[in-house]
Amino acid sequence: MTELHLWLRHESRTTERRTPVVPSDARRLVERGMTLTVEDSPQRIFPIEAYEEAGCRVAAPGSWVSAPPDTVIAGLKELPDEPAELRHRHVFFGHAYKEQPGAAALLGRFLAGGGALLDLEYLVDDEGRRLAAFGYWAGYLGAALAVLHHEGRLRTPLRPASKEELDAELAAVTGQPRTLVIGALGRSGRGARAALAVAGNEPTCWDLAETRELDRAALLEHEVMVNTVLTTRPIPPFLTDKDLDEPGRRLRTLCDVTCDVGSPMNVLPVYDTTTDWAHPVRRLREQPALDLIAIDNLPSLLPREASVDFSAALLPLLLDFETGGPWDRCLARFHQAGRELGAKEGEFRHV
Ligand SMILES: NC(=O)c1ccc[n+]([C@@H]2O[C@H](COP(=O)([O-])OP(=O)(O)OC[C@H]3O[C@@H](n4cnc5c(N)ncnc54)[C@H](O)[C@@H]3O)[C@@H](O)[C@H]2O)c1
């Protein structure tokens, strides 16, 4: 039995239809004694009635701000800008530890309110491996959009679909561009390879071993590149502006699943803003053309599949919430970030 009160919040990002806990897993949590409050949400892929039937309490969108202080608030994407001070423990993807834009402001809100960020990206086992991630579906969608765009078959604006619909579009692809997946052995890389397989395409696969001595000329020989690398330390970029201006470049479509734009870990410093569902493709170069796809919420385009997989991975961790382990590591990472921020602000004060 667990005393935990978990509060599933409505996502403020209007295109976010995923959820970290699906109704069937909510039922399992309730059966184990957890109190689960679910905010009604117009866009969540699962209707609120399914959570109600699973034994959850229902609350209004955004009402987590007045939840009892011990409640753990769960979501996926960014919090709304208000309140300025965050007093709860929040489980979501904060994107706050790699000096991303807005990271210091978010940490500052937690420090001001006495709350804590339990960042899902840092929910790891004792060997540092991620325990719950959307990577597979991010890679799947990134490669799918890249190849569909390259073949002139991408329909915009993008909208969430089912896997059957997406696969039917991929199966209809007839061209066979030379494709490259970097980070091919990871979760997103596996997803990218799976999507390309549905399109009948066999990509070149690079991971750590193949990029140690990066062959840029070989890279630029590919027509479609999908970057799915996750690096935790700055490394030399895979592409620079100079490479894009190479006259012999065959690369036409670049999909950056990683989307580390603005971070020191960025391996593709050839663009400075991500793209989105309304405008998924941005032209980076003319003659020869080079188009960029860099969407930071790719798995939301397959909200059902992505939520079901993620929730299945998160369920055992939520059941063990009070025993610590991975959650303690998340909390320690948050405290470290808080100390680093405090030290940095101290430095600025002394300049
Ligand atoms: N755009 C989106 O919507 C979205 C969604 C989820 C995840 N992501 C991002 O996708 C990225 C990949 O996530 P993942 O779950 O697949 O990670 P992962 O750890 O499973 O895989 C990363 C892979 O990159 C490889 N790699 C690391 N450094 C490399 C290098 N220098 N050269 C070549 N390969 C290298 C690793 O060996 C590993 O195989 C992350 O940055 C993650 O934040 C994006």
Side-chain angles (χ1 to χ4, degrees):
M1 293 298 275
T2 169
E3 296 290 304
L4 186 67
H5 183 177
L6 188 72
W7 191 292
L8 198 58
R9 65 174 162 84
H10 154 73
E11 298 285 339
S12 44
R13 195 188 281 214
T14 50
T15 53
E16 186 53 79
R17 305 193 66 194
R18 291 172 301 169
T19 173
V21 183
V22 301
S24 55
D25 292 333
R27 182 183 299 279
R28 300 268 306 275
L29 294 171
V30 172
E31 281 167 2
R32 286 283 292 271
M34 190 179 287
T35 303
L36 193 47
T37 299
V38 181
E39 289 185 4
D40 197 2
S41 174
Q43 78 254 22
R44 193 185 291 120
I45 187 74
F46 298 97
I48 194 69
E49 292 76 19
Y51 288 97
E52 250 181 320
E53 281 164 23
C56 304
R57 299 178 185 175
V58 174
S63 53
W64 60 265
V65 291
S66 40
D70 280 351
T71 313
V72 173
I73 317 294
L76 290 173
K77 293 302 236 188
E78 65 273 9
L79 295 171
D81 291 339
E82 294 292 331
E85 299 185 355
L86 297 168
R87 59 194 180 95
H88 295 98
R89 286 171 292 171
H90 281 262
V91 173
F92 71 113
F93 288 99
H95 302 297
Y97 303 151
K98 293 193 226 165
E99 296 176 36
Q100 295 97 326
L106 177 65
L107 289 172
R109 289 170 71 191
F110 277 109
L111 297 178
L117 167 61
L118 300 172
D119 194 318
L120 287 164
E121 195 178 336
Y122 296 82
L123 193 57
V124 293
D125 66 14
D126 23 352
E127 284 169 34
R129 282 185 299 250
R130 291 270 304 274
L131 291 167
F134 284 104
Y136 180 86
W137 293 109
Y140 198 96
L141 278 149
L145 300 185
V147 83
L148 288 173
H149 172 66
H150 191 78
E151 295 301 307
R153 303 181 75 103
L154 187 65
R155 278 184 283 169
T156 61
L158 303 178
R159 56 170 191 86
S162 70
K163 184 171 179 293
E164 289 71 30
E165 288 171 300
L166 180 64
D167 284 357
E169 295 196 31
L170 284 174
V173 165
T174 49
Q176 284 307 328
R178 290 193 65 190
T179 52
L180 168 65
V181 177
I182 313 193
L185 299 180
R187 270 178 295 260
S188 310
R190 272 190 290 113
R193 288 188 280 137
L196 292 172
V198 177
N201 187 288
E202 206 173 305
T204 306
C205 295
W206 289 358
D207 205 89
L208 276 169
E210 292 80 11
T211 62
R212 203 156 285 136
E213 308 261 323
L214 187 71
D215 184 346
R216 282 226 178 78
L219 187 158
L220 295 170
E221 279 292 306
H222 294 88
E223 295 161 275
V224 176
M225 169 178 157
V226 184
N227 174 47
T228 67
V229 161
L230 174 61
T231 177
T232 47
R233 59 182 179 84
I235 55 171
F238 293 154
L239 284 174
T240 62
D241 281 333
K242 188 169 158 286
D243 301 313
L244 303 200
D245 294 329
E246 282 290 321
R249 160 175 63 77
R250 294 186 66 192
L251 189 64
R252 298 286 183 277
T253 304
L254 170 63
C255 177
D256 188 13
V257 174
T258 299
C259 287
D260 264 343
V261 57
S263 143
M265 316 302 167
N266 187 8
V267 293
L268 293 173
V270 291
Y271 72 99
D272 52 18
T273 39
T274 51
T275 64
D276 56 30
W277 293 10
H279 305 286
V281 182
R282 183 176 320 126
R283 182 138 294 183
L284 294 182
R285 288 292 186 280
E286 299 283 355
Q287 289 170 354
L290 177 63
D291 288 339
L292 168 78
I293 299 174
I295 298 172
D296 68 0
N297 60 341
L298 285 167
S300 314
L301 288 163
L302 286 178
R304 184 174 296 274
E305 289 81 359
S307 299
V308 166
D309 280 1
F310 189 86
S311 178
L314 193 61
L315 178 71
L317 300 158
L318 289 172
L319 288 171
D320 273 351
F321 191 87
E322 271 135 350
T323 53
W327 298 105
D328 286 348
R329 283 189 279 275
C330 273
L331 192 60
R333 185 64 190 81
F334 167 72
H335 287 147
Q336 179 194 333
R339 283 193 299 276
E340 286 164 3
L341 183 68
K344 208 166 244 177
E345 285 184 346
E347 268 170 38
F348 293 145
R349 272 198 296 276
H350 291 105
V351 169

